[in-house]
Amino acid sequence: MRILVVGSGAREHALLRALRRDPDVTDLHIAPGNAGTLALARPHPVDVTDPAMIAGVAELVGPDLVVIGPEVPLVNGAADVLRERGFAVFGPSAAAARIEGSKSFAKDVMAAAGVPTANALTVTNLEQIDAALDACVSPYVVKDDGLAAGKGVVVTEDREAAAAHARAVLGSGHPVLVEEYLAGPEVSLFAVCDGRTAVPLLPAQDFKRVGDGDVGPNTGGMGAYAPLPWAPAGLVDTVQRTVLDPVLVEMASRGTPFAGLLYAGLVITAVGPKVIEFNCRFGDPETQVVLELLDTPLGTLLAAAAAGRLGDVRLSWRGAAAVTVVIAAENYPGTPVTGDPITGADADGILHAGTKLDGEGCVVSSGGRVLSVVATGDDLAQARDRAYALVDGVRLRGSHHRTDIALAAAQGRVHVPGTA
Ligand code: AMP
């Protein structure tokens, strides 16, 4: 099987790494990729926001399957353009990708499907902000309705900070969602979907805040681990029954079946799991740990989803636990410092994100999240030790990472994110 992966982050590096293990995958291509993916796949330059350009690369490569990593091309209709041209694609149509592209659309789908989620109000002008915040109790949850690279959400006990975020989002031209705060540990559950059937992967937990102990602003994600030793018994079955299956039925009944990766971001509340967001693609950094543990050949699985043949798929897993730690550039999640040389980034398990080769062929930083180090172990403690040993071998001036990824779980505690 020849596969073209679209994207350039550690998620795509992880996808290539897992696809490489599939004996039926013979030829891998990546558009555009990064310095680390060069060892696994042939690179093709592309602007991932441009569906026509992605289709152009596919025409050149002639893949049996295209796997689209990031949300922006999906929301922009890349899967539709590719399907129109006859390619098999793992990734939802633009109409189905709205489940991530618009949080109010996702709320509407959940309401129609009876999926448990936080109550929310949509705010479209400045005059509505105060009334919406009045309707909530602290901590306030204020979200950008549109795509914001995981950084559009503010959770705060400071009402003025909540109002300021709402004003900033409205100023950028997007509606705002003011949402009920859900207390409890967070879980990310991915499901491979073919429009009718959802096949859930292992639940994982990610760490959104930039600093140890959940301080500082939200990021795209600073680390993750799987599995979750503290997860309630039957969690995956519950989410399949209360979230995944009803959403697939609802999306299909709207004439926009969801085929691709449905990512449910959940809070395990006192009354069971509730959805805080959907994404329409593999999440980064959870993908790095989930795929590291997947034994089922990934190319075959994603091709079955693209062909609508997931009905009798059963997954198998390898290894006991996996931990990933993100190494970020100086000043991330603000404007990151880029162009710094990186050394020690070629060890097995170091996945690249914001990296490129400079004119002399040296690896330099080119984005906010630069590397994502992944390791497995017999348990989370061992996977953690191995991941942090890899982190210690990397040199990048000014870089930072969290030191508490999977720490609570490895010590038998449950990690519950705090507020800023
Ligand atoms: P999102 O981009 O919607 O996943 O939100 C980013 C982060 O904000 C989540 O990982 C949570 O930590 C937090 N968050 C979002 N919505 C809520 C909510 N309703 N209650 C509590 N925390 C939330």
Side-chain angles (χ1 to χ4, degrees), residues 284-310:
D284 185 341
E286 300 96 315
T287 300
Q288 286 86 302
V289 286
V290 172
L291 293 187
E292 201 65 17
L293 296 172
L294 181 70
D295 196 35
T296 305
L298 181 65
T300 311
L301 174 65
L302 301 185
R309 282 189 283 101
L310 280 179

Side-chain angles (χ1 to χ4, degrees), residues 103 141 143 153 155 179-182 186 208 276-277:
K103 291 189 188 283
V141 180
K143 298 187 174 184
V153 180
V155 182
E179 196 170 278
E180 171 197 9
Y181 177 79
L182 297 178
E186 288 180 34
K208 292 266 188 209
I276 49 172
E277 66 163 347

Side-chain angles (χ1 to χ4, degrees), residues 103 107 117-119 139-144 148-155 178-184 186 188 206-209 214 218-219 263 265-267 275-279 281 417-419:
K103 291 189 188 283
K107 287 287 183 199
T117 183
N119 295 320
Y140 301 99
V141 180
V142 180
K143 298 187 174 184
D144 187 328
K151 292 182 269 183
V153 180
V154 162
V155 182
V178 176
E179 196 170 278
E180 171 197 9
Y181 177 79
L182 297 178
E186 288 180 34
S188 304
D206 79 341
F207 293 73
K208 292 266 188 209
R209 302 272 185 168
D214 296 318
N218 269 330
T219 67
Y263 165 138
L266 307 157
V267 172
V275 174
I276 49 172
E277 66 163 347
F278 285 120
N279 292 324
R281 37 76 197 176
T419 59

